[in-house]
Amino acid sequence: MEIKEEGASEEGQHFLPTAQANETGGTQFTSIQKIPNEPQLEFILACKDLVAPVRDRKLNTVVQISVIHPAEQSLIRYSSTEIVEGTRDPLFLTGVTFPSEYPIYEETKIKLTVYDVKDKSHDTRSILGFASFKVVELLKSKEQLLSLSLRTSDGGKVVGTIEVSVVKMGEIEDGEADHITTDVQGQKCALVYECTAPQSVSGKDNLPFLNAVFKNPVCKLYRFPTSDNKWMRIREQMSESILSFHIPKELISLHIKEDLCRNQELKELGELSPHWDNLRKKVLTHCDQMVNMYQDILTELSKDAGSSFKSSSSKGEKTLEFVPVNLHLQRMHVHSPHLKDALYDVITVGAPAAHFQGFKNGGLRKLLHRFETERRNTGYQFIYYSPENTAKAKEVLSNINQLQPLIATHADLLLNSASQRSPDSLKNSLKMLSEKTELFVHAFKDQLVRSALLALYTARPGGILMKPPSPRSKAEESCPEDQPPWMKRQDSIPHHSDYDEEEWDRVWANVGKSLNCIIAMVDKLIERDGGSEGCSGGSKDGEKDPSLVDSITSHPREDWYEQLSPLVLTLKDCMGEVVSRAKQSLTFVLLQELACSLPQCLTLTLRRDIVFSQALAGLVCGFIIKLHTSLHDPNFLQQLHTVGLIVQYEGLLSTYSDEIGMLEDMAVGISDLKKVAFKIIEAKSNDVLPVITGRREHYVVEVKLPTAMFELLPAQIKEGQLLRVHPVLFNVGINEQQTLAERFGDVSLQESINHENFELLKEYYTTFMEKMPPDYISHFQEQTDLKGLLENLHQNIQAKKRKNVEIVWLAATICRKLNGIRFTCCKSAKDRTSMSVTLEQCSILRDEHQLHKDFFIRALDCMRSRQTQGALNDSDDPETGCLSDNKPTSRHFYPVALLLVSSHLLVVWLILSLALLLAKYQ
């Protein structure tokens, strides 16, 4: 039967044929025995005595692996090895793996075609020879090793042999490395094979949890010699995460809910003068449009059910704006003969940025500064509130919305305890009611509420709003910036004989007094019932008046419920009046923010939401994997609830052209992660995806853990303590555009970001040293010279050296020493990111695991190999000049040099330099 060849256009990318049943057309196929979640078959390849087509020519060989399914009898290009240069006996570093879901049987035939690559840049190659075998022949061979003759395409001449050797997961080879290494042009080669089963140091018990979050793992497994010629094994894994889409959908749903609530509050603001009413209508029109847009985006994202990846070619798509680019977990698992197993995780993701919005006017850092400057200079028709006061207004409104129903619930529980006439239950209910009510009263202590009430009063029909003098007087210039301009002169404050400025104090104080009356009554009831102790804790915001006890008469024969019910009703009424006034006044503050610069304000909000969504998706991914891998480390868990986690972002963006705007977006998005807290809860079902609650100024991410994992947590975390993260960003541009920026442009943005974030990192270190237990700190200091690393980092930041990659390497080292979460980012998380990650991994193998010095470059080349099985192709656009001759076909494994400059931009730079030189001497 003629075999039809079906191929992929890109090397290293394999395609799965249509899945076949074990029995097809009456023919039954034999499945390969396998372990769950393990590959069905893995083997490695080596050639011997290859015959060159031209005498004395040095061969550059590569093997292409194709699969012939027994039912279809069609040839499917599956994968290929790396190119090995200059030898007739190539030992290929890249193996072949068939994952558990691949339809391969004992009857499946595998064809191996060996090519001589004459020109890598144009992928010019010729066939040397081929061989084929059935899977069953390999599995039943002696020692599961086949030695096959390679024949020319006409099936005649023998041009060498190819050895196929099965690799078994988990086998440990004894002995030294010398006897199984081959010298290729004076350089030793290590064996490598691949697998697709995710592994972790903490075992496989929690794989269902990880598999619910991480998808489509691509793994490679290497073995390299240590400095004492022992083997160490390294498993590399790259996984996508469904959090790429899940987190944005959660956030957008929250934004819609928050914005609808705000719009309703604006409508319920009450009657306003024509000026303010027109502004409100204008604001509502724009806000409704924004809500509709968010709803449309959510609808589109919901269509991508089960999606786990957004390629860089989609970064400019409007419907995918909120989704991070190329979000992946990059994991290296090291098993060395002398040291304990170790995991090194890095989250790689495209820099959080609003690509669809564009960067013509800069990014968030610049846009927000410009926006605030313009707001300060607005005319009389608006009232300026600082970003801090606006944020405070949102915080108080959020607290109101949370506390009011809680207080009502605890008040009802108090009455329920009273109806049961249970003293202990009554005291417990009162304790909870008191705590929540005191929080409620404390929320209104801020002067902002008082000033907002007066501002709202003047905006009612008949209110007087006087225009402040322009330009501002010296007296005004000396006033605090967060005070509204119209309040910075006494004569501009409207006076109304019917406005009682102390009325708010009375209304607000009535809540505390009502609570004290309830406390006094409960004390009286329990005392009359024979209880030895009362509940006279009193409110922190108003000591209990002794006269309250005397004025309340208890009637033992009457029901406790009847005694407390009127007092609880009074508390609710007082609280309702406070809520009504405060909500309206603080909503009026938010109206100023929206009205003063439509539509720029909402455009900025949209941009910030987009950038934050991308940043948060990566953060949640990193938090979950860090928690999973460190669950058995009591020191980590103590650090988690005591000082929180450092989250270090390594940025590789240039300070040139559009990437300046990307860096400005990224800096704000990462800084906004300070608003995020994590809460770990026990999963009550198979749904372990995180849930987000809160609002734009404060988010809580609830991470669900299966019961077996949840029980390992300390009591503080199990009881719901919020866990904080401390994000820091260090950026060093490394591509050819950064060369132009340093020669002819401006790098002050990068310098400012690095300085600011160093101070944040130092602050975290100080807190860490102060709050962690002394015995832990003592051991920590013996193992790690963190203070020296920080000093070195500071010196490098101050040095202002060009392309100083020491900054990001030192920051990464400090992060790992502090049990932090590591991120690496560039424009699309491809070339620059992959170069950094692979270099970091090899450096770790050298510094921490005694990688043989002769194998550093070889290991680096292996990890950057172009021939990556199963990798998603995302090489749509080269983002840097550091491209090799081979166009990459995956997001991680690239054979490129880290700091090379592309030829076309190098020419441009040389021309500019020559022009400047000529101009200087003319």
Side-chain angles (χ1 to χ4, degrees), residues 499-527:
Y499 181 73
D500 185 355
E501 295 187 20
E502 296 181 357
E503 182 182 6
W504 166 250
D505 292 333
R506 292 193 294 271
V507 172
W508 171 61
N510 281 342
V511 176
K513 291 180 179 179
S514 300
L515 175 64
N516 282 342
C517 287
I518 293 173
I519 293 172
M521 175 57 77
V522 170
D523 281 349
K524 194 78 171 178
L525 292 173
I526 293 177
E527 183 182 348

Side-chain angles (χ1 to χ4, degrees), residues 503-749:
E503 182 182 6
W504 166 250
D505 292 333
R506 292 193 294 271
V507 172
W508 171 61
N510 281 342
V511 176
K513 291 180 179 179
S514 300
L515 175 64
N516 282 342
C517 287
I518 293 173
I519 293 172
M521 175 57 77
V522 170
D523 281 349
K524 194 78 171 178
L525 292 173
I526 293 177
E527 183 182 348
R528 290 291 187 97
D529 195 57
S532 59
E533 293 183 3
C535 303
S536 53
S539 171
K540 293 179 182 177
D541 295 288
E543 293 298 327
K544 187 176 69 173
D545 188 346
S547 62
L548 289 173
V549 181
D550 297 331
S551 63
I552 297 174
T553 304
S554 176
H555 303 282
R557 296 182 180 179
E558 292 181 0
D559 192 272
W560 285 7
Y561 180 92
E562 293 180 3
Q563 296 284 345
L564 286 171
S565 181
L567 301 179
V568 168
L569 183 61
T570 300
L571 173 65
K572 289 182 177 181
D573 289 343
C574 292
M575 186 172 61
E577 188 173 359
V578 169
V579 167
S580 176
R581 292 174 182 239
K583 262 192 173 183
Q584 288 190 344
S585 64
L586 295 175
T587 300
F588 187 71
V589 172
L590 302 186
L591 177 63
Q592 311 309 309
E593 179 192 39
L594 294 166
C596 73
S597 55
L598 283 175
Q600 293 93 332
C601 178
L602 294 180
T603 302
L604 270 180
T605 300
L606 171 63
R607 189 182 192 104
R608 201 165 188 172
D609 287 347
I610 289 169
V611 174
F612 179 77
S613 173
Q614 296 176 24
L616 183 61
L619 175 63
V620 177
C621 180
F623 184 89
I624 287 176
I625 196 66
K626 186 66 180 180
L627 179 65
H628 177 266
T629 56
S630 305
L631 204 57
H632 297 274
D633 183 353
N635 291 325
F636 167 81
L637 294 175
Q638 184 168 16
Q639 177 184 349
L640 180 61
H641 70 78
T642 304
V643 295
L645 290 185
I646 195 74
V647 183
Q648 183 254 330
Y649 289 80
E650 173 184 316
L652 302 171
L653 292 172
S654 67
T655 53
Y656 184 84
S657 188
D658 282 355
E659 292 198 12
I660 297 177
M662 295 177 202
L663 183 55
E664 289 172 340
D665 274 354
M666 183 182 182
V668 174
I670 290 173
S671 178
D672 282 348
L673 294 176
K674 297 172 187 174
K675 305 172 184 176
V676 178
F678 287 86
K679 182 179 179 181
I680 302 176
I681 61 176
E682 184 178 0
K684 300 299 183 182
S685 67
N686 292 329
D687 179 13
V688 294
L689 291 178
V691 175
I692 306 176
T693 60
R695 54 187 171 78
R696 281 184 176 90
E697 300 301 323
H698 177 68
Y699 297 95
V700 175
V701 180
E702 294 182 351
V703 176
K704 304 174 187 176
L705 286 187
T707 301
M709 299 174 68
F710 186 77
E711 291 302 321
L712 298 174
L713 299 172
Q716 297 93 328
I717 298 179
K718 287 196 285 188
E719 291 168 3
Q721 179 179 328
L722 294 182
L723 311 172
R724 299 291 175 180
V725 291
H726 304 269
V728 292
L729 165 65
F730 294 93
N731 187 85
V732 175
I734 61 171
N735 66 350
E736 76 287 341
Q737 291 186 338
Q738 187 63 23
T739 302
L740 296 176
E742 291 172 343
R743 293 283 184 181
F744 311 111
D746 181 13
V747 295
S748 59
L749 173 63

Side-chain angles (χ1 to χ4, degrees), residues 101-158:
E101 69 274 11
Y102 193 90
I104 186 172
Y105 308 100
E106 289 189 356
E107 294 80 7
T108 300
K109 194 172 184 179
I110 295 175
K111 180 181 179 182
L112 308 173
T113 307
V114 181
Y115 290 90
D116 176 23
V117 181
K118 298 178 180 179
D119 186 346
K120 289 195 299 181
S121 61
H122 297 90
D123 198 21
T124 304
R125 61 177 67 183
S126 60
I127 294 179
L128 284 178
F130 74 93
S132 61
F133 63 92
K134 287 186 178 180
V135 171
V136 65
E137 295 172 355
L138 176 61
L139 295 178
K140 293 184 177 180
S141 62
K142 184 179 180 180
E143 297 182 354
Q144 294 190 325
L145 171 67
L146 288 178
S147 182
L148 306 172
S149 296
L150 287 169
R151 297 185 177 273
T152 56
S153 55
D154 59 7
K157 183 180 178 182
V158 175

